[in-house]
Amino acid sequence: MHAAFRFLDNPPSFMFFTGKGGVGKTSLACAHAVLLADQGRRVLLVSTDPASNVGQVFKVAIGNSVTAIPTVPGLSALEIDPQAAAQLYRDKIVGPVRGVLPDAVVKSIEEQLSGACTTEIAAFDEFTALLTDPQMLRDYDHIVFDTAPTGHTIRLLQLPGAWDDFLEEGKGDASCLGPLAGLEKQRDRYHAAVAALADPARTRLILVARAQGATLREAARTHDELTAIGLTQQYLVINGVLPERESALDALAAAVVQREQQAIANLPSALKALPLDQIPLMPFNLVGVDALRLLLQSDTGDAAAIVPAIPAIATPPLSDLIDEIAENGHGLIMLMGKGGVGKTTLATAVAVALAERGHAVHLTTSDPAAHLEETLSGSLALLTVSRIDPHAETERYRKEVMDTKGKKLDAAGRALLEEDLRSPCTEEIAVFQAFSRAIREAGRKFVVMDTAPTGHTLLLLDATGAYHREVTRQMADTQLHFTTPMMQLQDPVQTMVLIVTLAETTPVLEAAGLQSDLRRAGIEPWAWIINNSLSAAYPRSSLLRQRAMNERAHIAAVATQYAHRYAVVPFLAADPVGVIRLEQLTRPIL
């Protein structure tokens, strides 16, 4: 018997699960897809997240082609792989003109299509096909989307309108997208995608959040932004709520229950009118079909099985890493990892700790969904805070180009240049320039960067690598000394990459995958941080103890298989917001 969760009622053809990274979108999307398939529906589960882990959840290699899930009849899955999609997109654009146009022109088109922006557009191209392909709609009763973290999703969902506007104007050289004709052919499909997204009879959007003020405020912002672009059929799901029964005889659990219930009682006004469901926290990891089926059951049982006291283990504290970082006196500290593992909190804590040791620190973020000011909740001497705002950086870049290149053009030339700078790809270039400025600043002070969730960060690093290759090629015949951003990222004296994870199956596997990607780019991670560890907090609640015991194997794997050095940060009863609570994260464990 399954729970009468409102978001499950009369599901339409398309369901989108979205929200801040780490709130459980993938688990809920997978569980919902399994439930529909168990009811005899034909279901396609699609991940549009560059850092997808749907395959890990089902223990099946999926990838960029529709793959049947053997353990769930009627369910198939697809992971839109941005790199594979980009290659298919490039082949589609370049193939027809190869051998027709001069080789130099073909090479120029290929170079235009080599950037990170093209990767995003290619993923969007596949995304719109799923919404509009008649054959897909005949083959499947439902398509369930596990979307990328919020900032990236908003951009993806806005693209149908953005590219439609761009095509309507019909000017410019389409920048890194290649020939404009390649997009003109998609006009009808883009219109159909916009119509499907805006039709409440066909599309439902499930906002997933945790019972935390920050993620609920993020959900409210997402609600407003999606409503503004016509997606009005929205439901709110608060995931991973600790049952009140667990608070008996456990101060930590009692504090969590009180904090979560207060957050739910104080829902942002934008969310109060939405249908609301609460999903209880489970004592087990949501990996495998059996675990997914339990997630949406109406009766998850009474309190978890009685678990005895957890034996102590010796794990290095974050303060040890801070002490070693501080010895350098300056440098770039980049915190990377899957969305929702606590990068923003830990980046802020590291910045605060370095400033309190007397170092000048610049704390910045490239994450479109990050809120450093909310986490810091105050000011500190020697610490400055900034955010790489895509809109502000794009305007800055446009002005710079018009003031330099545009200065020498006539009126007609300036008009053409302005049109080209309205290409949606301009934003990617502008954000990369801001990223490069932050890297240069690290030569004289500490720059602590809270990066975007993994997939988006890798796209940014890909842009850095492309820039590095271009500069190296141009400078090869000169005697001038030069340093590109990628060279600095690859220099372990200048840059320390801290991989943040949780002691759970999927986050650790995701972090290991990130480490492999970084190594392929010539960047060696300096340390790992295991955040929010219940094992290090020694709870008394049976449910929390069960989750804590599950952590031990993952902590051991990080210590012995993955990390040169690592630290474990215990789960705190109170949200680590404000300087005083942030300091608790970087104090030696007594």
Side-chain angles (χ1 to χ4, degrees), residues 530-573:
I530 299 171
N531 193 28
N532 283 341
S533 171
L534 285 166
S535 183
Y538 301 105
R540 300 179 64 183
S541 149
S542 289
L543 189 153
L544 295 184
R545 278 183 174 175
Q546 199 165 335
R547 291 184 66 89
M549 289 302 296
N550 291 340
E551 290 183 354
R552 294 297 176 96
H554 301 300
I555 294 173
V558 170
T560 60
Q561 298 177 37
Y562 299 122
H564 296 301
R565 53 176 71 76
Y566 77 104
V568 176
V569 177
F571 184 93
L572 298 182

Side-chain angles (χ1 to χ4, degrees), residues 48-290:
T48 63
D49 191 337
S52 174
N53 57 9
V54 169
Q56 295 167 2
V57 172
F58 286 105
K59 303 177 182 178
V60 173
I62 297 173
N64 202 43
S65 59
V66 174
T67 302
I69 304 299
T71 52
V72 186
L75 176 60
S76 296
L78 166 68
E79 294 175 329
I80 295 180
D81 179 340
Q83 300 302 327
Q87 187 57 51
L88 290 172
Y89 182 82
R90 283 190 286 268
D91 292 343
K92 183 167 63 176
I93 296 292
V94 178
V97 300
R98 198 183 300 279
V100 177
L101 297 178
D103 290 345
V105 175
V106 173
K107 184 177 181 181
S108 175
I109 294 173
E110 288 176 330
E111 287 179 354
Q112 290 177 22
L113 292 168
S114 65
C117 183
T118 297
T119 303
E120 188 161 336
I121 300 309
F124 158 69
D125 204 44
E126 291 202 10
F127 164 79
T128 55
L130 293 170
L131 292 174
T132 58
D133 185 348
Q135 187 60 48
M136 280 288 180
L137 299 179
R138 285 192 292 268
D139 289 345
Y140 299 102
D141 300 309
H142 304 283
I143 302 181
V144 178
F145 290 89
D146 167 34
T147 70
T150 304
H152 198 84
T153 296
I154 295 296
R155 187 173 178 188
L156 184 65
L157 293 178
Q158 284 177 324
L159 276 172
W163 290 119
D164 193 64
D165 292 344
F166 188 57
L167 293 178
E168 287 291 343
E169 298 195 15
K171 297 178 181 178
D173 65 1
S175 189
C176 65
L177 294 178
L180 189 60
L183 285 177
E184 288 281 6
K185 295 176 183 177
Q186 311 296 345
R187 181 191 295 270
D188 291 342
R189 193 168 85 187
Y190 292 174
H191 276 302
V194 171
L197 289 170
D199 184 353
R202 287 188 282 170
T203 298
R204 175 178 300 171
L205 196 132
I206 298 99
L207 303 175
V208 185
R210 292 280 186 171
Q212 301 164 351
T215 59
L216 288 168
R217 287 191 293 274
E218 180 70 28
R221 282 185 282 267
T222 302
H223 164 74
D224 292 342
E225 290 172 322
L226 293 175
T227 299
I229 60 174
L231 276 76
T232 57
Q233 185 77 342
Q234 299 179 28
Y235 288 67
L236 175 63
V237 174
I238 301 179
N239 189 33
V241 179
L242 184 62
E244 189 173 353
R245 61 175 180 257
E246 296 297 323
S247 62
L249 304 178
D250 187 342
L252 177 65
V256 172
V257 168
Q258 181 181 9
R259 184 175 73 198
E260 291 184 342
Q261 292 306 313
Q262 184 175 2
I264 294 170
N266 296 327
L267 273 181
S269 57
L271 301 179
K272 289 181 178 177
L274 298 183
L276 170 64
D277 291 308
Q278 296 183 38
I279 310 291
L281 182 69
M282 297 293 162
F284 46 82
N285 288 332
L286 290 163
V287 176
V289 173
D290 292 341

Side-chain angles (χ1 to χ4, degrees), residues 252-454:
L252 177 65
V256 172
V257 168
Q258 181 181 9
R259 184 175 73 198
E260 291 184 342
Q261 292 306 313
Q262 184 175 2
I264 294 170
N266 296 327
L267 273 181
S269 57
L271 301 179
K272 289 181 178 177
L274 298 183
L276 170 64
D277 291 308
Q278 296 183 38
I279 310 291
L281 182 69
M282 297 293 162
F284 46 82
N285 288 332
L286 290 163
V287 176
V289 173
D290 292 341
L292 292 171
R293 287 191 171 112
L294 288 173
L295 180 60
L296 297 178
Q297 282 193 352
S298 60
D299 182 10
T300 57
D302 296 325
I306 301 300
V307 178
I310 303 168
I313 58 170
T315 53
L318 182 55
S319 57
D320 286 357
L321 297 186
I322 302 290
D323 290 340
E324 195 169 348
I325 292 170
E327 292 175 3
N328 289 348
H330 67 86
L332 178 65
I333 315 299
M334 297 185 73
L335 286 92
M336 295 188 181
K338 180 179 169 64
V341 296
K343 294 185 304 294
T344 299
T345 297
L346 289 178
T348 309
V350 168
V352 166
L354 289 171
E356 290 186 332
R357 284 165 168 78
H359 299 283
V361 182
H362 178 189
L363 172 63
T364 187
T365 182
S366 63
D367 188 342
H371 307 289
L372 294 177
E373 292 84 357
E374 290 180 12
T375 303
L376 184 61
S377 188
S379 60
L380 197 65
L382 299 177
L383 177 61
T384 57
V385 180
S386 71
R387 175 174 175 265
I388 297 176
D389 183 304
H391 297 295
E393 295 301 333
T394 301
E395 287 307 310
R396 183 209 297 257
Y397 176 73
R398 284 177 179 147
K399 184 177 186 305
E400 177 186 329
V401 173
M402 293 304 300
D403 289 347
T404 53
K405 293 183 179 179
K407 189 175 182 179
K408 301 176 182 179
L409 299 176
D410 58 18
R414 287 178 62 85
L416 285 173
L417 182 59
E418 286 178 341
E419 287 290 347
D420 190 41
L421 289 172
R422 280 202 284 271
S423 159
C425 292
T426 299
E427 180 183 305
E428 200 76 46
I429 301 168
V431 170
F432 170 65
Q433 282 201 344
F435 177 66
S436 299
R437 285 196 300 273
I439 291 177
R440 289 195 296 271
E441 189 181 4
R444 61 183 184 275
K445 62 166 63 172
F446 280 113
V447 175
V448 180
M449 179 172 284
D450 163 39
T451 69
T454 304

Side-chain angles (χ1 to χ4, degrees), residues 37-52:
D38 286 348
Q39 294 171 348
R41 316 283 180 88
R42 298 167 302 160
V43 184
L44 178 63
L45 174 63
V46 179
S47 174
T48 63
D49 191 337
S52 174

